[in-house]
Amino acid sequence: MPMRNTVKAATLESKFPLLTVEHDCILSKDADLSVAYRVELPELFTVTSSEYEAMHSAWLKAIKVLPNYCVIHRQDWFVEEKYKPELDKEDISFLSRSFERHFNERPYLNHTSYLFLTKTTKDRARQQSNFNALTRGFIIPKEMQDKETALKFLESVGQFERIINDLGFIKLFRITTDEIVGTEQQAGIVEKYFSLSQQDTTCLQDITLKAGEMKIGDKYLCLHTLSDTEDLPGKVNTDTRYERLSTDRSDCRLSFAAPIGVLLSCNHIVNQYIFIDDHTENLKRFEKQARNMHSLSRYSRSNQINKAWIEDYLNEAHSYGLTSVRCHVNVMAWSDDREKLSRIKNDVGSQLALMECKPRHNTVDAPTLFWAGIPGNAGDFPAEESFYTFIEQALCFFIGETNYKSSPSPFGIKMVDRLTGKPLHVDISDLPMKKGIITNRNKFVLGPSGSGKSFFTNHMVRQYFEQGTHVLLVDTGNSYQGLCEMINRKTKGEDGVYFTYTEQNPIAFNPFYTDDGVFDIEKRESIKTLILTLWKRDNEPPTRAEEVALSNAVSKYIDLIKSDDAIKPSFNTFYEFVKTSYRQMLIDKNVREKDFDIDNFLNVLEPYYLGGEYDFLLNSDKELDLLNKRFIVFEIDAIKDHKILFPVVTIIIMETFINKMRRLKGIRKQFICEEAWKALSSPNMADYLKYLYKTVRKFFGEAIVVTQEVDDIISSPVVKDAIINNSDCKILLDQRKYMNKFDAIQELLGLTDKERTQILSINMSNNPSRLYKEVWIGLGGAQSAVYATEVSAAEYLTYTTEETEKTEVFQLAEKLGGNLELAIKQLAERKQNN
């Protein structure tokens, strides 16, 4: 006896509601015409209350251009994904590799938003759940609505798109036929929907429908619906205050629907439908209902109350000219683990309760609502699942923000999303410049002691260096010693030059040495300025005759070293040249002593000559040409108050960077001045910074000042005017120490109220399971966000300014034969294991 198949199974094809996709439009078997869009929303925590209202207003205007019997269907996907490290890049550095590994498999929610506009008919709009593609044995294709209706609809869709895109906050991108149906290489949005995935390669799975349970492949679905006015809050808004990141002086805003959007951390889809029926007909029906309720009010008090509610609805519609629509919202969450699903069910319920909605877990209608959610199948939505409201209120359920997005620019730095902990690629230099958001690449960094500003700056300059930038740092406090030492040992001493002053190893330069023998005007001028600084006091300007004599001495000496290889360029040989050959030249030219007193000159400069007190300063035997060194640190803490050494070092620093700026064409350069007030105490350095901030942008360069005290900014006119006004990128760290005087900082830096709110939210709600500090980056007053500076253990040990940790790293490196990288690797592993 043959076996009979008793399983009631149907093929997807037999029940499939879509007929065809042509000209980027979806046509259903019931002749519903749909157009699909991908929606690009602004980033989380970057939108103000007035901006949310502007977005709401744009949606409202756009919906009003659509004809009757249209369905607006917003479908927001939030899918759990895991970070895939970018380890396949060529010549990836040890620190970049450890950063990528640190985030390997880090889970995060990926948000994708779609919008489907469907033109249906009056009959279809009233269709109940017992008459859709799932319940019918077969579908009889109907004739397409007349051509004129379709053309009118597509025309209104074009207007809809223009209204939204003109706003600037939201962008709609039309989804093409290939993106809807998919290609051999890529899954389309319909295929993605049936596999509950947003991956480009998906596999269609069986759909199981049982009493109270729905499964797609191994994924169990749970559905919460808002389909009755009783489930809704008494009042809705465009946005709400997010308490966790707000203070009594600042107000962080999120859209009203954010609790079921980016703040709900599980796999889920939020579907929202707005049905535009015939408004006049709707109101007529309500008038009739109100009369019926009035007639029956003697029999039941509820009829009396319902009559009052209907009257209120009609009064609102007539008084304010509001359009009556139907609406429905559902949250479809899933998991492949039944136990986990019950936790997810509770999470969705509690997030809906946060919106003051009544969470209704719907087991009966899950298949029907899942079917209506198919892209382009909104016409199959069961009418009894919707409630009456107005467009304004319905739009408050639209999710208004998305998670942080990486910049498409090839250049940038890796930061971390403060909410999910996912690494992001952020360009704070090139793309904003190209878009006209900023007009220069200069940066101003402000953060109190311990807020992590040196840590952030280390992280930034390391990544800039790895992308080919020439970095010159002026530091106080050995903040960059670890990074510089690592670069030095990695390049076998070819790069990573660290200048610092100790008794055993005093700071030493050779301003007369160049690799290529080129002494351009800037180089000659800097040598003259250096010698003048050593020769004359600040209040003792040189005469014109003295300047000319010194200029000639420098020029003749340069000619001499160029023509005679036996003479080693240094201050010693320059001094000897002036003492002998140049003295004779002056005698031959009859230069009078009162015009240039050569003996006085030699006497004043004698301490810098062989055997003098400072003979080490300008006679370095290391033939270092700083032009081609890409990472240079000048540590000035020990000499910042030294009357002789500090002015000389200042001039060397200025000459080094100007030389790079002028001669390295097409190469990115970065000048960083840490604890700026110490450097600004030198008038030379203050004037130099002023000049640099105004001109460096023309030479593909950027100047960065890092400071910790607000008073440093206010007390220095240079910082106040030249630096702040010429820094289009402002970077602020935790300012809660300055909460009471933040008004002054806001005014000084020209920050908007939106930027103030973001800055005061720094480190307010950090995830305790992750170790990071937050940083605010603002670009030209137009773009700003708070990011997390989270790094791997290896990076932490490289950047740390803690004396004990640094000592431990360097001591272990010495035991390992000077291998700093290996020492950091071993300590990082030890740290992680602990």
Side-chain angles (χ1 to χ4, degrees):
M1 190 175 147
M3 291 280 287
R4 280 173 59 206
N5 183 4
T6 54
V7 179
K8 286 188 177 179
T11 62
L12 182 60
E13 193 179 354
S14 67
K15 301 286 182 186
F16 198 59
L18 306 182
L19 180 68
T20 182
V21 180
E22 288 175 21
H23 308 296
D24 306 338
C25 295
I26 305 168
L27 186 65
S28 81
K29 288 176 182 172
D30 278 290
D32 296 331
L33 186 65
S34 300
V35 172
Y37 290 99
R38 201 177 74 254
V39 186
E40 205 171 88
L41 297 163
E43 289 179 349
L44 191 68
F45 310 128
T46 64
V47 191
T48 62
S49 195
S50 58
E51 287 166 348
Y52 277 121
E53 280 172 24
M55 283 154 62
H56 180 272
S57 172
W59 283 119
L60 179 65
K61 284 176 194 160
I63 287 174
K64 282 187 171 176
V65 303
L66 296 174
N68 287 350
Y69 305 109
C70 271
V71 187
I72 297 97
H73 176 198
R74 259 288 294 274
Q75 190 172 82
D76 288 85
W77 288 70
F78 297 88
V79 183
E80 281 178 2
E81 290 185 16
K82 289 186 175 170
Y83 182 70
K84 293 182 180 69
E86 297 170 9
L87 297 169
D88 53 351
K89 289 180 184 172
E90 281 180 44
D91 62 11
I92 186 168
S93 73
F94 161 64
L95 291 179
S96 284
R97 184 179 279 108
S98 57
F99 177 88
E100 292 293 333
R101 279 185 177 156
H102 173 72
F103 291 97
N104 184 29
E105 297 284 296
R106 168 81 55 98
Y108 65 92
L109 267 194
N110 201 9
H111 179 197
T112 314
S113 184
Y114 297 111
L115 175 76
F116 307 110
L117 301 176
T118 302
K119 176 75 181 84
T120 183
T121 58
K122 186 176 180 178
D123 295 339
R124 290 270 287 147
R126 291 176 178 168
Q127 194 171 282
Q128 301 272 315
S129 56
N130 59 358
F131 192 80
N132 71 8
L134 267 181
T135 53
R136 279 174 283 165
F138 58 93
I139 298 170
I140 305 161
K142 295 187 179 178
E143 274 190 41
M144 174 58 194
Q145 301 160 21
D146 63 277
K147 194 177 176 184
E148 195 182 330
T149 309
L151 286 173
K152 262 187 183 172
F153 169 66
L154 292 173
E155 198 178 291
S156 65
V157 162
Q159 291 173 347
F160 183 102
E161 186 182 335
R162 257 195 316 278
I163 291 167
I164 297 297
N165 284 340
D166 284 351
L167 175 70
F169 292 116
I170 309 165
K171 285 274 173 281
L172 296 183
F173 298 95
R174 183 81 176 261
I175 298 177
T176 62
T177 301
D178 277 353
E179 288 170 314
I180 297 166
V181 296
T183 60
E184 281 182 22
Q185 293 79 30
Q186 233 173 352
I189 58 169
V190 178
E191 195 178 331
K192 286 176 180 178
Y193 183 76
F194 277 103
S195 53
L196 285 185
S197 162
Q198 282 297 304
Q199 288 179 346
D200 290 335
T201 50
T202 58
C203 174
L204 284 179
Q205 293 157 335
D206 288 347
I207 299 173
T208 312
L209 309 175
K210 289 183 190 171
E213 183 180 280
M214 181 172 175
K215 262 176 84 178
I216 292 177
D218 296 330
K219 297 165 184 170
Y220 294 91
L221 254 77
C222 79
L223 184 78
H224 285 76
T225 55
L226 298 178
S227 47
D228 198 314
T229 38
E230 287 175 16
D231 303 340
L232 303 176
K235 193 180 176 188
V236 291
N237 299 293
T238 54
D239 56 296
T240 55
R241 178 179 158 99
Y242 186 55
E243 290 296 341
R244 286 173 70 176
L245 293 180
S246 297
T247 68
D248 54 351
R249 285 183 168 84
S250 62
D251 201 12
C252 179
R253 311 299 294 183
L254 284 177
S255 66
F256 180 75
I260 53 170
V262 280
L263 300 182
L264 175 56
S265 57
C266 64
N267 282 313
H268 68 288
I269 297 172
V270 179
N271 285 300
Q272 188 190 351
Y273 303 85
I274 299 175
F275 303 91
I276 303 170
D277 303 322
D278 186 329
H279 166 69
T280 322
E281 207 174 283
N282 274 358
L283 295 189
K284 274 183 189 167
R285 195 179 318 114
F286 278 123
E287 295 278 8
K288 190 179 176 185
Q289 255 181 320
R291 285 197 297 274
N292 290 346
M293 292 290 173
H294 182 66
S295 312
L296 300 166
S297 58
R298 275 193 302 176
Y299 300 103
S300 163
R301 185 170 291 277
S302 64
N303 289 337
Q304 214 171 337
I305 293 164
N306 284 341
K307 185 240 176 187
W309 279 115
I310 294 168
E311 292 284 354
D312 282 348
Y313 184 82
L314 289 165
N315 289 343
E316 286 279 313
H318 289 300
S319 307
Y320 302 105
L322 303 178
T323 307
S324 169
V325 293
R326 286 180 298 120
C327 180
H328 170 88
V329 182
N330 68 55
V331 182
M332 210 179 281
W334 66 87
S335 174
D336 49 12
D337 180 352
R338 276 180 194 244
E339 283 179 26
K340 203 175 169 189
L341 192 72
S342 62
R343 185 182 59 77
I344 286 172
K345 202 186 292 176
N346 293 337
D347 285 352
V348 177
S350 59
Q351 291 299 94
L352 282 165
L354 276 179
M355 295 163 65
E356 293 181 30
C357 296
K358 200 180 286 176
R360 198 177 288 277
H361 181 230
N362 195 326
T363 52
V364 180
D365 300 304
T368 316
L369 292 174
F370 176 81
W371 213 248
I374 298 167
N377 195 38
D380 242 355
F381 187 88
E384 79 272 17
E385 283 288 332
S386 58
F387 59 87
Y388 281 95
T389 182
F390 301 116
I391 304 175
E392 285 83 348
Q393 283 81 348
L395 283 171
C396 291
F397 290 92
F398 269 19
I399 286 161
E401 61 280 292
T402 186
N403 41 22
Y404 283 30
K405 294 273 185 280
S406 284
S407 165
S409 168
F411 181 84
I413 59 172
K414 279 283 174 84
M415 296 301 289
V416 175
D417 181 326
R418 69 192 300 205
L419 189 73
T420 64
K422 175 201 172 187
L424 300 160
H425 175 79
V426 183
D427 183 354
I428 54 175
S429 288
D430 289 6
L431 193 64
M433 191 95 163
K434 198 182 275 184
K435 284 183 171 178
I437 293 167
I438 57 175
T439 55
N440 60 61
R441 293 178 175 86
N442 300 338
K443 295 166 181 57
F444 178 75
V445 185
L446 174 71
S449 179
S451 61
K453 63 184 179 308
S454 293
F455 209 85
F456 165 77
T457 316
N458 256 301
H459 189 55
M460 176 178 68
V461 297
R462 190 267 293 174
Q463 294 179 81
Y464 269 68
F465 172 77
E466 285 175 4
Q467 292 171 86
T469 308
H470 277 244
V471 178
L472 190 146
L473 276 146
V474 182
D475 182 28
T476 52
N478 296 311
S479 303
Y480 304 92
Q481 190 179 7
L483 183 57
C484 190
E485 193 68 29
M486 177 172 272
I487 291 167
N488 183 276
R489 296 190 191 193
K490 187 78 182 164
T491 58
K492 296 185 173 68
E494 289 297 308
D495 214 325
V497 185
Y498 197 80
F499 289 107
T500 187
Y501 183 90
T502 60
E503 289 294 332
Q504 299 77 28
N505 190 9
I507 200 162
F509 310 100
N510 185 352
F512 297 92
Y513 175 78
T514 62
D515 261 349
D516 51 10
V518 174
F519 289 88
D520 54 17
I521 292 169
E522 250 103 15
K523 181 76 175 168
R524 290 165 189 257
E525 282 300 316
S526 79
I527 293 171
K528 272 163 54 184
T529 309
L530 177 67
I531 295 164
L532 268 174
T533 306
L534 299 175
W535 180 26
K536 299 280 184 181
R537 287 204 178 98
D538 289 344
N539 57 357
E540 190 188 343
T543 65
R544 185 79 189 105
E546 286 172 331
E547 277 186 25
V548 171
L550 178 58
S551 190
N552 285 339
V554 171
S555 294
K556 298 287 181 196
Y557 174 71
I558 288 169
D559 292 344
L560 179 69
I561 57 176
K562 277 183 172 180
S563 60
D564 190 347
D565 291 341
I567 295 174
K568 191 179 178 186
S570 69
F571 182 78
N572 286 342
T573 53
F574 171 74
Y575 187 86
E576 286 160 7
F577 165 74
V578 173
K579 195 174 184 178
T580 54
S581 307
Y582 192 59
R583 183 195 285 275
Q584 191 55 49
M585 285 180 202
L586 294 176
I587 292 166
D588 294 345
K589 285 166 71 177
N590 292 325
V591 174
R592 295 172 301 175
E593 190 181 306
K594 69 172 187 175
D595 290 333
F596 180 59
D597 186 348
I598 195 165
D599 290 319
N600 167 269
F601 178 77
L602 292 167
N603 184 46
V604 172
L605 296 184
E606 196 174 3
Y608 309 99
Y609 177 60
L610 191 65
E613 188 184 352
Y614 301 111
D615 64 349
F616 56 84
L617 189 59
L618 305 172
N619 292 297
S620 171
D621 55 355
K622 292 173 187 163
E623 295 193 333
L624 266 183
D625 180 11
L626 298 177
L627 176 69
N628 297 310
K629 304 296 178 211
R630 290 206 301 113
F631 199 90
I632 305 161
V633 180
F634 290 91
E635 210 292 313
I636 60 168
D637 199 37
I639 57 162
K640 63 182 183 291
D641 301 318
H642 202 292
K643 286 183 180 175
I644 294 188
L645 295 179
F646 187 55
V648 174
V649 173
T650 300
I651 290 160
I652 299 282
I653 292 168
M654 296 190 299
E655 189 265 332
T656 304
F657 196 75
I658 285 180
N659 201 23
K660 284 179 180 292
M661 199 167 83
R662 303 253 180 211
R663 289 184 60 191
L664 299 172
K665 307 282 184 197
I667 295 172
R668 193 187 304 273
K669 307 140 202 94
Q670 204 175 46
F671 178 90
I672 296 121
C673 187
E674 265 264 6
E675 297 308 343
W677 62 272
K678 290 172 184 173
L680 292 166
S681 60
S682 152
N684 266 344
M685 193 66 160
D687 288 342
Y688 170 65
L689 274 174
K690 197 171 181 177
Y691 157 78
L692 195 63
Y693 261 85
K694 289 181 178 177
T695 57
V696 73
R697 69 177 181 84
K698 297 170 189 169
F699 298 94
F700 195 23
E702 49 191 77
I704 302 168
V705 154
V706 183
T707 191
Q708 73 175 31
E709 282 297 333
V710 190
D711 299 333
D712 301 342
I713 315 169
I714 298 162
S715 60
S716 167
V718 175
V719 181
K720 205 171 170 184
D721 302 328
I723 294 177
I724 290 172
N725 292 344
N726 290 292
S727 295
D728 279 2
C729 174
K730 294 178 178 72
I731 297 167
L732 276 76
L733 291 103
D734 200 331
Q735 298 292 314
R736 280 178 294 178
K737 280 186 185 176
Y738 303 140
M739 188 77 90
N740 295 329
K741 48 182 175 180
F742 194 75
D743 290 347
I745 300 174
Q746 183 178 356
E747 192 180 334
L748 193 70
L749 299 181
L751 303 170
T752 63
D753 288 340
K754 170 182 171 176
E755 291 172 331
R756 173 200 178 99
T757 297
Q758 289 174 338
I759 293 160
L760 293 180
S761 76
I762 290 173
N763 295 336
M764 270 194 69
S765 183
N766 287 10
N767 186 334
S769 64
R770 287 163 41 211
L771 189 66
Y772 63 96
K773 281 186 177 171
E774 291 182 335
V775 55
W776 175 83
I777 301 173
L779 297 163
Q783 202 175 298
S784 58
V786 176
Y787 299 96
T789 309
E790 184 179 344
V791 295
S792 61
E795 287 169 294
Y796 174 82
L797 291 167
T798 307
Y799 307 153
T800 183
T801 51
E802 285 291 325
E803 190 63 40
T804 50
E805 290 172 333
K806 269 163 77 170
T807 308
E808 190 181 8
V809 169
F810 283 109
Q811 280 176 353
L812 182 59
E814 293 317 308
K815 283 180 192 171
L816 296 167
N819 192 334
L820 191 64
E821 204 169 284
L822 185 60
I824 286 171
K825 197 181 266 182
Q826 286 187 9
L827 281 173
E829 281 171 17
R830 212 180 295 167
K831 208 178 172 78
Q832 279 163 335
N833 292 340
N834 289 342

